[in-house]
Amino acid sequence: MSATRSGGCLCGAVRYEAAWPPLALVVCHCRNCQKQSGSALSVVAMVARNGLNVTGEMAMFEDRGSSGQAVYRHFCPACGSPLVTDTPAAQAEGHIFIKAGTLDETADLTPTVHFWSCRAQHWFPFPEGTQRLETQ
Ligand SMILES: [Zn+2]
Ligand SMILES: [Zn+2]
């Protein structure tokens, strides 16, 4: 069993290795995640900050969470893949978030919590046994 998992953007300009398994694996249905991903949701792995190594240059968009807190959304400037999300709280607590869809291996991922279920698309079937939070 490997203690890291690799991933990268669509074009391959940005690659990363993250400490694995993650501290948490969650789904976020908030509008900002829908906008940023161009999809219905984000699958996000919370990993140890000091266990994340990124190679290649990422661009950053400073977003705002619902609480008004900064959300730093890092992405590949060449292909646009969203890769890493960071917040001041995550910095203080020693973790950071990876967009789990960019991992090289995704078949075994089972998110356990769904954030912003109130914003979920009406057709989304919440898997049985997962926790739903109206907001975050
Ligand atoms: Zn790229
Ligand atoms: Zn979100």
Side-chain angles (χ1 to χ4, degrees), residues 27-34 41-42 44 73 99 115-116 136:
V27 173
C28 186
H29 297 266
C30 84
R31 280 298 292 146
N32 291 21
C33 281
Q34 291 173 343
L41 50 81
S42 280
V44 180
R73 295 180 179 273
K99 296 288 189 175
F115 290 129
W116 289 99
Q136 201 160 12

Side-chain angles (χ1 to χ4, degrees), residues 95-111:
H95 54 252
I96 193 161
F97 304 97
I98 289 169
K99 296 288 189 175
T102 64
L103 289 159
D104 293 335
E105 185 61 56
T106 56
D108 62 345
L109 303 183
T110 308

Side-chain angles (χ1 to χ4, degrees), residues 6-27:
S6 59
C9 66
L10 182 59
C11 77
V14 181
R15 296 286 304 161
Y16 64 82
E17 291 235 322
W20 205 259
L23 305 166
L25 187 64
V26 307
V27 173

Side-chain angles (χ1 to χ4, degrees), residues 2 6 13 22 31-32 34 38 41 44 72 75 79 82 84 111 123 130:
S2 146
S6 59
R31 280 298 292 146
N32 291 21
Q34 291 173 343
L41 50 81
V44 180
Y72 307 109
F75 58 95
C79 71
V84 174
W123 47 262
T130 53

